[in-house]
Amino acid sequence: MSKEVLLNKPQRLEPKSRINFRTKEAITFYILISPFIVMLFLMKLFPFTWGVIMSFTNYTGFNYDNLKYIGFDNYERVVTDNFAIQSLQATAVIGLITVPLGLFLSFALALLLNSNKKGVGIFRTIYYFPSIIPVVATGLMWRILFNNDGGAFNELLGLFGIAPINWLGMEWCRRALIIFMAWSAGGGILTYLAALKGVPKELYESASIDGANGLQKLLKITIPVLTPVIFFNLVNGLIAAWQLFAQPIFLAANAGSLLAVPYEPNYVYLVHVYQQIFVNQRFGYGLSMIWLLFVFSIVCTRLVFYTSKFWVFYENETVSERVIKKKPAARQKGVSSVA
């Protein structure tokens, strides 16, 4: 009888853990990424918010006791600042030259290096290497090359009986800057090479059967297939062009520190911002200039994204197919609005 009672006695269940496996996994995940979240807040979000707030004040770096909210006065001042407008125009002109030039050079070099011949890896390294050298080293190097007295460029011109050129002077400084930036345009070679390796060989074989030559293959096959990569490099190039700062400083006539002021052709927007913040102690005004540049960069990028539907092709999609797709959507929207 006692054995039956013992057998029929309900077994005591051990208490289950209140934290299941998924919860433990989530806690571990957030613990591991917590350093990144802290650094994101301290190094990104906090300065971002602080910069927005200070741009609406008379902040000069040391006037916390007399800090006042002045509304949009700093932003209105940027619009009426002749130096800010001229520097923005200089940045736009240099960008309009260097961005297309960089796209063309990197694409052309990628076409030349897209082969499996022996030793091509050495040339890929040589052409890509300038894009990873620190701008300080390249700036000093090009300053020596452009030197008016004994520079390599003037020595080369002297071999042909051409008088020395003051590359760092008012007249030629912008040309020197464009040459400097074109030399480091090999950063896009990697993306172009990767895209070229992904172009189906069947397309070229079919084009050859139809009698297409090399130029026709380039215009009808290679470039359309690579338009997403061209679009990617174009957006990155535009963003980098608006952020141009160090290169004009190192080519300035009195270059010795970041406080050097380039000549007017190379006096770009961020140089003017740097002068206002760190030389003239106009922190609020300089921050407002930065935020206007940020908004302007977004607008330009959005315009490029808008135009991409007319010239960027994904897989087998064509412009006509996109138009056909958009027409029913527009009609449906009109019908819904009428209803």
Side-chain angles (χ1 to χ4, degrees):
M1 187 70 178
S2 59
K3 292 182 179 180
E4 294 179 357
V5 173
L6 292 174
L7 291 174
N8 296 329
K9 186 177 180 180
Q11 299 292 329
R12 185 178 180 181
L13 299 176
E14 296 183 0
K16 292 184 177 180
S17 177
R18 296 181 180 180
I19 303 177
N20 56 24
F21 175 76
R22 290 187 176 274
T23 305
K24 291 181 180 179
E25 192 177 43
I27 293 174
T28 305
F29 169 76
Y30 285 110
I31 291 175
L32 292 176
I33 68 169
S34 58
F36 170 77
I37 295 176
V38 173
M39 293 302 296
L40 176 66
F41 177 78
L42 294 178
M43 305 300 294
K44 298 290 184 179
L45 297 180
F46 176 74
F48 186 92
T49 307
W50 180 87
V52 173
I53 296 173
M54 291 297 107
S55 66
F56 294 98
T57 65
N58 62 341
Y59 181 55
T60 61
F62 305 98
N63 64 333
Y64 283 106
D65 297 334
N66 300 322
L67 196 64
K68 296 179 181 179
Y69 173 77
I70 59 175
F72 289 90
D73 291 352
N74 287 329
Y75 293 90
E76 294 176 357
R77 185 179 176 183
V78 175
V79 180
T80 58
D81 186 356
N82 292 330
F83 289 104
I85 300 301
Q86 291 176 2
S87 62
L88 186 63
Q89 292 174 350
T91 307
V93 171
I94 294 172
L96 288 174
I97 298 174
T98 56
V99 173
L101 181 62
L103 291 174
F104 173 77
L105 290 177
S106 58
F107 182 72
L109 290 174
L111 289 176
L112 294 175
L113 298 174
N114 185 32
S115 64
N116 297 321
K117 295 182 179 179
K118 187 176 181 179
V120 70
I122 299 175
F123 291 96
R124 291 175 182 173
T125 305
I126 292 173
Y127 284 116
Y128 182 73
F129 191 68
S131 63
I132 62 175
I133 299 177
V135 67
V136 176
T138 56
L140 294 175
M141 180 192 72
W142 281 99
R143 184 173 178 81
I144 296 173
L145 293 175
F146 286 128
N147 192 2
N148 191 29
D149 186 14
F153 279 84
N154 283 334
E155 291 294 329
L156 182 62
L157 293 176
L159 297 177
F160 298 94
I162 303 175
I165 295 175
N166 186 12
W167 292 96
L168 303 179
M170 174 73 77
E171 184 179 358
W172 287 86
C173 62
R174 179 170 291 178
R175 297 180 178 90
L177 177 62
I178 293 172
I179 295 173
F180 176 14
M181 297 183 66
W183 178 75
S184 58
I189 291 179
L190 284 182
T191 53
Y192 283 125
L193 279 174
L196 287 171
K197 296 297 182 181
V199 179
K201 296 182 180 180
E202 293 80 5
L203 297 177
Y204 294 113
E205 294 174 357
S206 301
S208 300
I209 295 174
D210 293 337
N213 54 32
L215 180 60
Q216 290 173 335
K217 293 178 183 178
L218 176 65
L219 297 177
K220 300 296 183 179
I221 298 176
T222 306
I223 293 180
V225 172
L226 264 64
T227 48
V229 180
I230 297 174
F231 171 69
F232 172 78
N233 288 329
L234 174 61
V235 173
N236 288 336
L238 286 175
I239 296 174
W242 290 118
Q243 297 177 354
L244 180 63
F245 171 72
Q247 292 87 343
I249 293 292
F250 286 109
L251 294 184
N254 57 342
S257 66
L258 292 177
L259 299 179
V261 181
Y263 285 116
E264 183 178 345
N266 288 351
Y267 190 75
V268 293
Y269 191 79
L270 283 186
V271 173
H272 186 58
V273 172
Y274 191 90
Q275 292 292 318
Q276 296 302 313
I277 294 178
F278 296 103
V279 177
N280 300 325
Q281 301 296 316
R282 299 170 181 167
F283 282 80
Y285 177 60
L287 289 170
S288 64
M289 293 180 63
I290 292 175
W291 286 114
L292 285 178
L293 180 64
F294 176 71
V295 173
F296 194 73
S297 300
I298 292 178
V299 172
C300 293
T301 306
R302 290 303 303 170
L303 288 175
V304 175
F305 269 87
Y306 175 77
T307 60
S308 65
K309 63 184 179 182
F310 299 106
W311 60 276
V312 179
F313 304 96
Y314 297 98
E315 296 181 355
N316 297 326
E317 189 177 17
T318 63
V319 176
S320 58
E321 291 174 348
R322 297 183 186 184
V323 173
I324 293 173
K325 289 180 181 179
K326 290 182 178 181
K327 282 183 179 180
R331 292 175 184 174
Q332 185 177 3
K333 184 178 180 181
V335 172
S336 61
S337 62
V338 171

